[in-house]
Every structure is written in C-alpha cells, then in structure tokens.
Amino acid sequence: MNISAAPGSGSNSSSSATAPFSAPIDVSGIDVVVLGGGRGAHRVVPSLVDAGASVTIVAADVRATLEELPGGVRVHRDTWSDSVLEGAGLLVVTGDEPAIEGAEAGAFPEAIVAAVRSARIPVARADAELRNGGDGSVGVAEELKGTVALVGGGPGDDGMLTLRGRELLMQADVIIADRLAPQRVLADVPAGTEIIDAAKIPYGRQMAQQAINEAMIEHAKAGKFVVRFKGGDNFLFGRGYEEALALAEHSIPTFVVPGVTSAFAGPALGGVTVTHRGVTHEVTVISGHVPPGHEKSLVNWPAVAAMRGTVVLLMAVKNGPAIADALIEGGRPADTPVSIIESASLSTERRVDATLASLREVMAAENVVPPAIIVIGEVAGLPQVLAPDRL
Ligand SMILES: C[S@@+](CC[C@H](N)C(=O)[O-])C[C@H]1O[C@@H](n2cnc3c(N)ncnc32)[C@H](O)[C@@H]1O
C-alpha cells in the first residue's frame, strides 16, 4: 500500500511525528482513523478497506464514493476530537481536511500530536511520493494533451484493469472516476493528478451527466489529458458513446480503452459460464433498470422469454423479480436456474442461486444489494467446478 508510516507511537519528540518513513503496514483487522475525506483519502481508503481495515473517516466533507465503498467505512463529521482515536490501531493523515490545518504542510497540529502520543498509536501519511516524477508532477505525453480517454476499469478489482488503461491513468492530468471503477488503482496515480468523483450511485447522490460532460470538456480544452474512468466497459450501459458525442461536439479528440465488462466477468467469477457447447447458443445482455411494462422500457420481454439461451441482467436488483415473472409469463419454465453474483471481484463478492420462481423470495431473504449481475438460464444450473480466485 502506498502509505508511509511515522513512528508516532510512544514518541517523545514532535519531530518524529513529522518525519515519515516508508514501511509496509499490515492493516488487516485494525481500526484505522483517516483524517480527511477528499482527494488524499480517495487515494488510500479503498486500499485500506480492501486490505481488511475497519476505517473511520474524520472529515466534514467526504467523497460519496468513499462513503459507499463495498465493505463500508464509518464517517465522523466533526473536526478533531481525541475520542476519535479510542480503539484505533493506526491514524492516517491525508492532508485534505481543511479543518486539520498543518497536516498538508507536513506538521501535525498540536492537538493531534498530543492525542497520538497519549494514545500511543502509529501515524501514517498518505504518500506524496510519485512513481511518475517524485515531485508530484504528472508526465503527460505530448499527443495526449487536450484529449479524453474513455477507460473501462473492469468489474472492480484493479487486477482486472487492462494494462493500457492503467498506463493512461498514470499519465492523466484529470481522472473523472465512477464509484464502480476500481478505486484501489487511484492510490497509485501521481499526487498531482486531479481526481474528480462522479459518484454515480443508484437511487442516491449523482453528479449529473451534464456536469461530467462539462468537466471533461473544460479540462480537455485547457490542454489537460482527461481519463473518464468507469466500471466494466464504458460502452456497455456506461454512457460511453453519449460522452463521446458530447466531446465530439467540441471537437475534442476522444478514444476508448475497452474494459472487462461485469456482464461476463461477474458470472465467470461466480463460476457461471454464459455459454456452453450443446447447452446454449445465445447470450442476451439486458438492463433491468426499468421493469417490464414500464413506459420507458425498450425491451421486448415476450421475445426474450421465447428464447432459450442465457439472459444476463444488469442493474436489476430492484426489478429482477418482476423480470422473472415476465419471463415465466412469456413461457420460460419456472424452474429455470438463476444465479446472482454480487460485488464480483470485490472482497464482498458472493453468489446466490435461485430459480425464476423463487427469485423474489431468495433475493429478499438474502438481502441482495447492488452491484449485482443476474444470470438466467440452464448455464446457471451447471455443476460448480471452479475454485475461487485468490485475489
Ligand atoms: C451502469 S451499469 C455499468 C456496467 C458496466 N459498464 C460494465 O460493463 O460492467 C452498472 C451495473 O453493472 C453491474 N456491475 C458492475 N460492477 C459489478 C460488480 N463488480 N459485480 C456485479 N455487478 C456489477 C451491476 O448490474 C450494476 O448495476
């Protein structure tokens, strides 16, 4: 993890709290308090959560993506109070909390120094060291300036981001990142990179698409290299083409780096193949964000029900049961196997099995939450022969 630790524990000199040393820290199972909820926190909190830490963010303003991280973080919205450190095993100072003046400059405020000394816990600082320079600057290739790359991040684990996608992220001046994009990789980008949180959370806070487009246009016109970073593949229910059109209107050169889509990675990680020789010759990928019969639905559900192959539903946690009803009504056998893969590739990944008939009951009983892929068809009933990846 890209953080460095300062020996605040039991230290008697204030200089030790301001002189970080690089050291790997095992944070698994540890209560970690993070000061700040902005850019610096965005760089380290996903890695901390992923590494098994129990994270409390102390900040008046916290990026929505961090609050909604699978696995969860607690947020303490007040400014500093010594009680925050009770039970904590590590304090991380990110330098992006205005209420905690001095942290960014490298000197911890007196109150924190005193509290850390009496609590005797280690202190770490979000690392400002860079792979791409060392001074916080970003090295952007000349031909990328003023352009936008639409980069697909894969299902969520940064190991499933493409090499090209990672390469471009490391060069970006500005990254506009969605919640479902792999957050952990953001810990590795140069400190000078601006990270904008688009926080597209279902039924929750959203940065309007218009605002995202405007941000891309404004930064590209200023000569910056912008990466629009999304989960999965930008062109599968990712508004990628919509964004490309908006950029084209402003003559901004735009290119795409395809990502591993959750539509196929999700089932595969859950041990479900979407095709199998002799079983199915077709896969239909459908958005379930509106239910059958909805005035905005563009799906011919009777036609889907009449097909025999695999159906993969995205954005269907809310409407999955209504879709199952429509498929049964359209002639699909009620005992057709269904698998739900929740949070594919993330530490909270799980697979839940049902049938079309039992889907409503099973999803409620298992409290299935987004993001999840629902796979319908005989393939979901094949024997499970794959071992889980040790990510
Ligand atoms: C707006 S769509 C974006 C899909 C994305 N462009 C892709 O190619 O994966 C969001 C939906 O993708 C699915 N999804 C994305 N990441 C997922 C994950 N890690 N596990 C399960 N489903 C996921 C869920 O169905 C979620 O509601």
Side-chain angles (χ1 to χ4, degrees):
M1 185 184 310
N2 196 24
I3 56 179
S4 55
S9 55
S11 160
N12 287 326
S13 82
S14 63
S15 67
S16 63
T18 59
F21 64 91
S22 287
I25 307 170
D26 182 1
V27 292
S28 168
I30 289 189
D31 285 347
V32 178
V33 173
V34 176
L35 299 185
R39 185 182 173 288
H42 206 156
R43 289 167 61 85
V44 292
V45 169
S47 301
L48 287 167
V49 171
D50 200 65
S54 169
V55 176
T56 299
I57 297 177
V58 185
D61 194 16
V62 178
R63 289 191 171 193
T65 296
L66 297 181
E67 283 195 79
E68 299 294 329
L69 276 179
V73 301
R74 282 179 300 282
V75 176
H76 179 89
R77 291 202 185 276
D78 303 330
T79 51
W80 181 258
S81 119
D82 292 1
S83 64
V84 168
L85 287 180
E86 274 165 26
L90 176 69
L91 171 70
V92 178
V93 178
T94 64
D96 52 23
E97 175 54 41
I100 303 166
E101 282 172 24
E104 195 158 12
F108 299 132
E110 279 306 308
I112 298 180
V113 174
V116 170
R117 273 199 203 136
S118 60
R120 303 178 76 82
I121 65 164
V123 178
R125 296 178 54 82
D127 194 351
E129 264 174 57
L130 287 207
R131 321 230 151 157
N132 213 3
D135 61 351
S137 64
V138 181
V140 182
E142 204 53 42
E143 65 273 17
L144 293 175
K145 290 182 178 164
T147 72
V148 176
L150 306 173
V151 174
D157 181 85
D158 62 349
M160 292 177 198
L161 170 66
T162 63
L163 292 173
R164 178 64 174 151
R166 189 179 170 90
E167 184 180 75
L168 292 176
L169 282 164
M170 296 307 138
Q171 292 190 61
D173 292 301
V174 179
I175 298 171
I176 303 180
D178 274 15
R179 181 180 68 99
L180 289 178
Q183 302 295 314
R184 201 166 52 185
V185 71
L186 299 178
D188 294 344
V189 302
T193 312
E194 183 177 352
I195 302 172
I196 298 174
D197 179 6
K200 295 174 77 80
I201 296 161
Y203 316 114
R205 277 198 262 183
Q206 289 206 358
M207 180 173 171
Q209 185 64 45
Q210 183 63 24
I212 294 171
N213 293 354
E214 281 164 14
M216 289 191 293
I217 292 162
E218 183 192 315
H219 287 294
K221 278 191 170 167
K224 307 276 170 122
F225 172 45
V226 180
V227 168
R228 176 69 175 114
F229 189 39
K230 302 201 63 138
D233 183 277
N234 300 41
F235 279 14
L236 187 82
F237 304 134
R239 295 190 174 219
Y241 189 63
E242 194 177 318
E243 293 178 354
L245 283 175
L247 292 160
E249 267 178 36
H250 291 263
S251 304
I252 293 167
T254 303
F255 60 105
V256 64
V257 178
V260 174
T261 178
S262 65
F264 296 150
L269 291 167
V272 181
T273 173
V274 291
T275 66
H276 186 52
R277 193 156 56 92
V279 174
T280 173
H281 289 175
E282 75 211 9
V283 186
T284 310
V285 179
I286 301 176
S287 166
H289 74 289
V290 288
H294 190 279
E295 57 178 16
K296 289 196 172 151
S297 176
L298 299 178
V299 182
N300 183 341
W301 287 108
V304 176
M307 295 197 296
R308 297 177 46 193
T310 307
V311 176
V312 176
L313 301 176
L314 277 73
M315 295 178 274
V317 168
K318 189 174 162 202
N319 297 320
I323 291 169
D325 292 345
L327 293 178
I328 294 172
E329 203 178 305
R332 203 90 196 223
D335 62 355
T336 301
V338 179
S339 287
I340 304 155
I341 297 91
E342 194 183 272
S343 297
S345 83
L346 303 172
S347 55
T348 47
E349 176 184 305
R350 67 171 174 151
R351 169 177 167 175
V352 173
D353 290 326
T355 62
L356 281 180
S358 70
L359 190 63
R360 183 181 305 277
E361 198 186 324
V362 170
M363 285 183 77
E366 295 288 337
N367 188 26
V368 172
V369 293
I373 297 288
I374 301 177
V375 198
I376 300 166
E378 276 183 69
V379 287
L382 295 174
Q384 294 187 37
V385 294
L386 293 169
D389 184 12
R390 310 266 173 254
L391 289 171

